[in-house]
Amino acid sequence: MRSASFGLAVLSFINLFSYLDRYVVSALTESLKHSDLALSDANLGSLMSGFLVVSTLPAPIFGALGDRRSRPRLIAMGVACWSFATALSGFAGSYLTLFAARASVGVGEAAYVTIAPSLLSDYFPLRQRGRVMAIFFCAIPVGSALGFVVGGLVDKHYGWRAAFFVAGVHGLLPAALCLLLPDPPPGLQWGGAGPP
């Protein structure tokens, strides 16, 4: 049960930071408009659209890989990828480089959002699944709100580039923690067995 609870804590923590990462851009819109990038409202809107399109395309690939490969390793790779792409956003010198960096965040998040729920389902028996998923998905509104708060505070004191750096660096620890997670056989809990 301890390893299952650890897995829930790590994956929920990552889910929180996943949404912090997504919404940090929304806190930076005014600064990005008045920065050397001089982004328009259309440019800013396309940053989220690019992320959504790019995160959708590789999701089926990661889903198939999650059926055959180590799910914790795939998640760790995804978290590291999106964190690196977020940090790169802070180095953007033009709209196109910022767009490419933000779209790349979608690749990393596609690995995570596709695989994490199935891993949690194999950690806990069916009777606990509702509570587990409630904890996991509770991280979404909290992380979204933190994206605005953290992004706004860092932007105010250190600038928009620093906000991307702060949002990106946090992913290294959770990515490393993922490598400690067990990877039980898919479907383990459908038979009513206890957590690994």
Side-chain angles (χ1 to χ4, degrees):
M1 181 65 175
R2 190 175 302 161
S3 62
S5 298
F6 176 69
L8 175 60
V10 170
L11 295 176
S12 298
F13 183 67
I14 292 171
N15 207 25
L16 183 145
F17 280 108
S18 164
Y19 279 83
L20 184 155
D21 186 279
R22 289 185 199 194
Y23 284 93
V24 72
V25 176
S26 299
L28 307 177
T29 54
E30 286 304 311
S31 292
L32 289 169
K33 283 182 186 179
H34 298 100
S35 71
D36 53 334
L37 303 184
L39 300 188
S40 66
D41 288 333
N43 293 150
L44 290 164
S46 70
L47 293 178
M48 183 58 88
S49 300
F51 162 82
L52 291 172
V53 169
V54 171
S55 66
T56 302
L57 297 176
I61 297 168
F62 283 114
L65 286 172
D67 290 337
R68 296 192 300 271
R69 304 286 169 93
S70 166
R71 291 175 290 179
R73 286 184 183 178
L74 287 168
I75 291 171
M77 181 193 74
V79 175
C81 174
W82 100 52
S83 298
F84 183 68
T86 298
L88 281 180
S89 301
F91 292 107
S94 68
Y95 160 70
L96 287 177
T97 55
L98 181 59
F99 181 86
R102 293 308 297 168
S104 298
V105 170
V107 176
E109 291 209 21
Y112 175 71
V113 300
T114 307
I115 299 169
S118 75
L119 192 55
L120 282 174
S121 292
D122 290 326
Y123 285 164
F124 293 91
L126 193 58
R127 68 181 181 277
Q128 296 178 5
R129 201 82 42 84
R131 177 181 56 84
V132 166
M133 291 302 171
I135 293 169
F136 177 71
F137 288 114
C138 247
I140 293 174
V142 175
S144 301
L146 281 175
F148 284 97
V149 173
V150 172
L153 287 173
V154 175
D155 180 31
K156 178 180 178 182
H157 295 289
Y158 303 103
W160 66 269
R161 292 183 187 277
F164 281 123
F165 298 147
V166 169
V169 167
H170 74 266
L172 300 177
L173 175 62
L177 289 175
C178 279
L179 298 175
L180 303 175
L181 297 180
D183 189 15
L188 175 70
Q189 295 298 338
W190 290 107

